[in-house]
Amino acid sequence: MSTKSFRAVYETEGVYDQLLLRHYYGGTEDIDLVADWLTEHHHAPTASLEVVEFGCGTGRITETIAPYARNLVLADYSETMVNAVAQKFPEARTICADTSDAVTVLLRQGRSSSFDLVTAFWSLSYPIGEFFEELSPSGVRPRQDQARAQARAREFVLDLVRLVAPGGHLLAMLFDAESPEQQLVTRGWEVVAPFPDGGRAYTRNVLVDALREAEGRGDGTLTHTRLGGVAWAPSRDAAREWFFGVHFKHHPLLLDDPQLAETVEEFLDRYEIAGGGVALPSGVHLIDFHAAAHPYASLPIGLSS
Ligand SMILES: C[S@@+](CC[C@H](N)C(=O)[O-])C[C@H]1O[C@@H](n2cnc3c(N)ncnc32)[C@H](O)[C@@H]1O
């Protein structure tokens, strides 16, 4: 498969690592946000946790969580990604499947309430989105029954929660659909098809709504933080490829759209920085569901016993 073919970013070896930009939030890289979260919740790594990561990619963030894992399960729909992590983390169990299928497999294998840490970084929007629409080189086809899609997507999120052990966490990072960068991405994809609910925030809304529902039932507490920052491209070419290769996945309809190409160039003009490079405004949603039963989890120590 060529490095410019549709979805090459996830399906051709080396392309993801080559195109990926570094993301900084308040001067901290996204990987370090996870490292800081781990230090806050688990102190020094002791290889004591049952950990699963969905949409693990090439294992960029896995490097940070692996030292905490007694057992590590790594899942991704792409064979290329799974091969990469299998080499980097030979002790881990790998699953090559769509995240919703991987979750079903784990639940069937008796893994409910067994993971101290269920994680997905920059990857949960895909399986959630796939309940609503099907993406192919010829375009985007909305699923016929959108109410059913909504119900299945909600059930998928609740299934993710079912994997979490008592006291454990579901930790996810999601892109911020409202950032200027992602609004441009949305405008691009709308060349192909409109999004359900009028925008690309719908996948995050599905996730947050289902987690609030779980919190309302007393299954845990949801902490949701939005951080503003930048994706830093060392050159204009890197920034352009970030849009066309990563965000637009080399989709033929988007690669051939002169209007979109012009809009991207204008955007890059706006965010090019003196001395070279482009600092694209970006945002990340850090979503942490702590599976601790109400009401005790939220009381100060002493009051909860
Ligand atoms: C933006 S990358 C993030 C990779 C990694 N978590 C990181 O932060 O570097 C998204 C990952 O999700 C995977 N992916 C996309 N759709 C998926 C799906 N429906 N099920 C499972 N994995 C999927 C891609 O193959 C890719 O590895």
Side-chain angles (χ1 to χ4, degrees), residues 33 36 40 44 80 149-150 172 198 204 231 297:
L33 290 176
D36 292 347
E40 187 187 329
T80 309
Q150 185 80 33
R204 186 183 79 234

Side-chain angles (χ1 to χ4, degrees), residues 16-32:
Y16 179 67
D17 285 338
Q18 187 193 321
L19 300 187
L20 185 70
L21 300 185
R22 293 183 134 185
H23 286 63
Y24 297 93
Y25 301 97
T28 304
E29 202 171 353
D30 62 344
I31 304 178
D32 296 323

Side-chain angles (χ1 to χ4, degrees), residues 4-7 135-140 182-195 200 240-265:
K4 294 266 182 199
S5 55
F6 178 50
R7 276 195 159 169
L135 179 62
S136 75
S138 58
V140 178
Q182 291 292 344
Q183 282 182 3
L184 171 52
V185 177
T186 302
R187 249 182 292 149
W189 279 111
E190 278 173 346
V191 168
V192 180
F195 287 96
R200 281 166 64 249
R240 193 178 295 113
E241 262 309 276
W242 173 248
F243 278 103
F244 284 97
V246 179
H247 287 318
F248 300 144
K249 313 231 163 359
H250 294 123
H251 194 290
L253 294 175
L254 300 182
L255 287 185
D256 292 343
D257 184 335
Q259 176 74 50
L260 181 60
E262 204 181 308
T263 310
V264 169
E265 293 308 321

